[in-house]
Amino acid sequence: MTVLKSTLPEPARQVTGDALQGTLVDLLGLSLMAKQAHWNVVGPRFRSIHLQLDEVVASARSYADTVAERAAALGISPDGRAETVAGTGSVAEPKEGWLQDTEVVSLLVEALEEAVVRLRDRIAATEKADLVTQDLLIQITASLEKQRWMFQAENSPL
């Protein structure tokens, strides 16, 4: 049932809705994973990584809200329920218990890279469907790539 009428034609609305829903799930999963790591990180770089994880969480949550509101503006009901995130998300989860700082860095680099790869596919998919959504996805990609770079530099051998 469509409660709100979209300004997009139905085929474009479907493509855009799929891109936004997938991105919403990725961002919510990323925020949960980063917060879990935030609570459990240990090691010599605890403080800097602990604080950097909060930046990832804040950014992912903020973008998740923007993505959900974009979907709603297009007449697409966003689904950020825990059941949906757990059932359709693909963000790697940290292991249970304490996490060594180097493990956390590697986990974040991998999770951010996977999210960026999926976002780039969604950017391509929305090129003809909705340039406004494509622009939003480009912004999110740039932000996640910056976070990935910062975490990747943490484990650099140089």
Side-chain angles (χ1 to χ4, degrees):
M1 167 174 72
T2 301
V3 175
L4 303 173
K5 183 160 174 45
S6 177
T7 56
L8 295 176
E10 187 54 35
R13 182 181 167 279
Q14 184 64 47
V15 168
T16 302
D18 290 347
L20 289 168
Q21 181 60 38
T23 302
L24 178 61
V25 167
D26 278 352
L27 290 168
L28 293 173
L30 184 61
S31 73
L32 291 169
M33 183 269 285
K35 190 49 99 170
Q36 180 67 23
H38 166 88
W39 293 323
N40 287 284
V41 65
V42 294
R45 295 177 295 158
F46 162 80
R47 182 160 173 74
S48 64
I49 293 172
H50 183 80
L51 295 174
Q52 192 174 355
L53 287 164
D54 266 344
E55 292 174 20
V56 172
V57 170
S59 178
R61 287 179 179 170
S62 177
Y63 276 123
D65 190 51
T66 302
V67 164
E69 289 176 354
R70 176 71 186 148
L74 295 173
I76 302 158
S77 175
D79 188 354
R81 297 173 299 154
E83 174 184 321
T84 301
V85 175
T88 62
S90 56
V91 174
E93 290 189 24
K95 68 180 185 181
E96 185 179 345
W98 302 114
L99 302 166
Q100 187 63 40
D101 53 2
T102 53
E103 289 178 272
V104 170
V105 168
S106 295
L107 181 68
L108 264 290
V109 168
E110 180 183 326
L112 289 163
E113 182 174 337
E114 290 172 359
V116 164
V117 167
R118 288 188 295 276
L119 272 162
R120 288 189 175 282
D121 289 341
R122 294 175 190 134
I123 289 168
T126 54
E127 182 176 11
K128 288 187 168 80
D130 183 29
L131 292 176
V132 176
T133 296
Q134 185 190 47
D135 184 55
L136 173 59
L137 299 178
I138 290 168
Q139 291 174 38
I140 296 168
T141 301
S143 176
L144 295 185
E145 283 181 329
K146 180 179 178 183
Q147 289 291 344
R148 182 181 175 276
W149 157 60
M150 291 180 160
F151 275 103
Q152 196 173 26
E154 287 279 348
N155 278 352
S156 178
L158 296 179

